[in-house]
Amino acid sequence: MKGRWIGKTLLIVISSPSGGGKSTIIKMLRQRHPEFLYSVSTTTRDPRRGERNRIHYTFVANPEFERLIRSKQLVEWARVHDHYYGTPRVNVARARRLRRVMLFDLDVQGAATVRREIADVVTIFLLPPSWEVLRKRLEGRHSESPSQRRRRLRTAREEMKRRNEYDYWVVNRNRQTCVSECEAIIRAESLRATRRA
């Protein structure tokens, strides 16, 4: 299936609650399909271990992020867990110019805004197999304090209530199966009659 989507603009938003695996699934999709573009979000939070600037996120200070908001250079932005996150408009323009699939790693707030701004975006929500699995995944990350994990779990409950806003649900029981199901959605969307005109 590699290379099949070059020449077709397709904007794919993938969301999940914290610990739901969206970053891992997106990474695996990009490994299988190097032709897929990735929308690097801008954030004011500090990098986690192993994260690189302009690869995983573009890390900026609050004044710079607020300048991007004022100058309308972001398709969407939100304040989540005391930090700003946003999607630069240039990412969408690049996907359209190059006629490529672009993957967006967004929370439910960001996805809702992108749906309002971009009519042809496709949205996928990754669900955990169970609440207990999600809790264990969050604890296993060791990237947040206990109080931060509790807050993320509270947020996750609210985010999962909004899954009906998405075009597709994929249960992330097994990473390989989850990636294959996301691929199937992308393939089906690329074959829509409205995209072949």
Side-chain angles (χ1 to χ4, degrees), residues 43-49 51 57 59-60 83 85:
T43 185
T44 58
R45 76 158 170 80
D46 292 332
R48 293 183 185 139
R49 185 183 308 144
E51 288 183 333
Y57 285 93
F59 297 98
V60 301
H83 300 290
Y85 292 82

Side-chain angles (χ1 to χ4, degrees), residues 62-116:
N62 278 0
E64 172 61 11
F65 197 101
E66 288 161 2
R67 185 191 69 78
L68 294 173
I69 294 171
R70 289 193 304 273
S71 58
K72 302 191 185 304
Q73 292 183 52
L74 302 172
V75 177
E76 61 81 29
W77 63 271
R79 194 165 176 87
V80 182
H81 305 303
D82 298 325
H83 300 290
Y84 284 121
Y85 292 82
T87 301
R89 289 187 184 279
V90 294
N91 294 2
V92 177
R94 179 171 175 244
R96 294 199 189 283
R97 184 178 73 253
L98 296 177
R99 296 182 58 79
R100 300 272 283 280
V101 173
M102 178 169 271
L103 304 175
F104 296 78
D105 180 339
L106 296 176
D107 69 1
V108 294
Q109 291 183 62
T113 303
V114 167
R115 275 194 301 274
R116 290 193 296 271

Side-chain angles (χ1 to χ4, degrees), residues 147-162:
S147 64
Q148 287 173 323
R149 278 199 301 275
R150 285 192 296 273
R151 183 168 56 174
R152 285 185 179 272
L153 284 167
R154 285 195 301 271
T155 301
R157 284 194 187 278
E158 295 306 309
E159 289 173 332
M160 288 174 65
K161 291 176 184 176
R162 296 180 63 177

Side-chain angles (χ1 to χ4, degrees), residues 10-29:
L10 198 53
L11 307 173
I12 307 290
V13 168
I14 298 181
S15 302
S16 74
S18 290
K22 68 182 183 300
S23 298
T24 299
I25 297 305
I26 287 172
K27 180 180 178 182
M28 292 174 69
L29 281 167

